[in-house]
Amino acid sequence: MSGNWLDEQEVDQYLGLIGVCKKQPSVEFLTEIIGCTLEYVPFQNLTMLDSDRTVPEIDDIKQLMLSGIGGICTIRNPFIQQLLRKLGFDAKLVASTIMNPDCHITIIVDIEGELWWCDPGNGFPYFSIIRLGDETTKSHPFLDYRLTETDGTWSLEHKNSDGNWFTNYFFKLDFVDFDYFDNMYLRHYTDPSYGPFLTGLRFNKWTDESGVILRDSRATALKETVRLESASEFENWVDSNSHPLRFENLLGSKRDIDKLWKVIQ
């Protein structure tokens, strides 16, 4: 990915969308960009499910992020990496393994010789970026997480309700170009067995204190969890919790809400 997808106007447009002023590269500025992306741009697969299941082009990725519609990691993290590069950060991509090898895109940023992990594309409230080598626990009301290293493999770990740590995903520091993920994109958008995004419903937005989380029919807002029972309840919940977007903004011309709901039936 030697070129840059974004021009200065598009950079300003995105920073305005998430309410961030342009600054010189720093740990603080990077943290602000990641946090405000988590807050203002939803992690969601509804647009993906309503599409014709073709792999998004660069212009599609830009449109989804610049409009605030968002998407899964295939939309969010390549765009943010490009944004960071345009802002003067030395931001690179690595391939991470979750359910399948190299099925997730992660961002590593070099700031004054120190490497920092950030991941606004995995659906979790990773507001704290992490300097590689810092294995202390980072906390959000919904999640404790940390980044550990063993024999050159870095593991992003979550703490479960029993207080035990488990690996959410892992990666090596092998930087790759965007086209390295071509097969991963194809599998995510065409193969229901490859991951959860063609067989489930996801819609997450976060603040540093709370979150809006949809996982199939289980929906949480303001720390209250309900079980959605119908397509109309699903539509109403998304409309109520996606401000300033509405369901009609997330879906394309098909806008077949019943079809989306049937994905989890």
Side-chain angles (χ1 to χ4, degrees), residues 47-56 60 189-190 254 259:
T47 306
M48 178 183 184
L49 287 172
D50 192 58
S51 72
D52 57 7
R53 311 292 173 85
T54 57
V55 174
D60 301 320
Y189 283 82
T190 62
K254 295 181 180 180
K259 180 180 178 182

Side-chain angles (χ1 to χ4, degrees), residues 10-12 54 97 148 156-157 178 181 207 220:
E10 290 166 331
V11 169
D12 291 342
T54 57
T97 293
T148 65
L156 196 283
E157 300 179 342
F178 180 58
F181 297 102
T207 69
T220 301

Side-chain angles (χ1 to χ4, degrees), residues 2-256:
S2 56
N4 199 291
W5 304 352
L6 302 174
D7 58 32
E8 292 294 341
Q9 181 178 356
E10 290 166 331
V11 169
D12 291 342
Q13 180 181 344
Y14 186 76
L15 293 181
L17 174 74
I18 64 173
V20 171
C21 295
K22 190 180 295 184
K23 304 177 183 71
Q24 291 299 310
S26 66
V27 172
E28 294 76 17
F29 187 29
L30 176 60
T31 301
E32 185 179 15
I33 292 169
I34 299 305
C36 290
T37 294
L38 293 172
E39 184 169 354
Y40 289 102
V41 182
F43 174 91
Q44 55 89 12
N45 71 330
L46 309 183
T47 306
M48 178 183 184
L49 287 172
D50 192 58
S51 72
D52 57 7
R53 311 292 173 85
T54 57
V55 174
E57 302 289 344
I58 289 173
D59 284 346
D60 301 320
I61 293 172
K62 289 169 56 174
Q63 186 275 328
L64 289 167
M65 292 299 289
L66 291 171
S67 64
I69 291 173
I72 64 171
C73 86
T74 55
I75 303 298
R76 300 166 67 85
N77 281 355
F79 178 91
I80 295 299
Q81 188 252 2
Q82 288 288 296
L83 177 82
L84 294 174
R85 285 168 55 90
K86 194 69 176 179
L87 289 167
F89 287 95
D90 182 7
K92 296 183 173 69
L93 303 177
V94 296
S96 296
T97 293
I98 306 179
M99 296 175 65
N100 291 284
D102 297 350
C103 68
H104 178 63
I105 301 170
T106 304
I107 304 170
I108 302 294
V109 184
D110 187 329
I111 302 177
E112 297 182 352
E114 293 188 319
L115 298 181
W116 294 80
W117 164 93
C118 57
D119 188 354
N122 195 31
F124 290 99
Y126 297 145
F127 280 84
S128 296
I129 66 172
I130 301 178
R131 179 181 56 80
L132 270 64
D134 174 8
E135 298 192 0
T136 60
T137 300
K138 312 303 177 187
S139 294
H140 181 273
F142 279 85
L143 178 70
D144 288 331
Y145 61 101
R146 68 185 183 184
L147 185 65
T148 65
E149 184 269 337
T150 303
D151 296 330
T153 296
W154 298 86
S155 297
L156 196 283
E157 300 179 342
H158 293 182
K159 183 183 285 187
N160 64 23
S161 59
D162 295 327
N164 298 314
W165 291 96
F166 67 94
T167 297
N168 183 51
Y169 68 73
F170 62 89
F171 62 88
K172 292 183 179 293
L173 276 181
D174 297 326
F175 301 123
V176 298
D177 291 329
F178 180 58
D179 58 9
Y180 177 86
F181 297 102
D182 284 353
N183 183 64
M184 179 269 273
Y185 270 77
L186 181 64
R187 296 287 300 280
H188 265 310
Y189 283 82
T190 62
D191 183 354
S193 71
Y194 188 67
F197 301 118
L198 294 180
T199 58
L201 301 174
R202 301 289 188 273
F203 184 95
N204 297 352
K205 288 180 73 174
W206 302 98
T207 69
D208 57 4
E209 294 294 333
S210 187
V212 170
I213 310 127
L214 175 68
R215 186 179 180 90
D216 299 331
S217 64
R218 189 172 186 268
T220 301
L222 299 177
K223 300 183 180 180
E224 179 182 353
T225 299
V226 298
R227 184 73 64 178
L228 305 178
E229 301 290 346
S230 67
S232 61
E233 288 187 7
F234 164 51
E235 180 179 17
N236 290 337
W237 186 90
V238 173
D239 267 346
S240 298
N241 291 288
S242 59
H243 180 78
L245 300 171
R246 291 183 62 81
F247 218 130
E248 62 193 35
N249 304 123
L250 298 169
L251 304 187
S253 58
K254 295 181 180 180
R255 200 172 181 273
D256 191 341

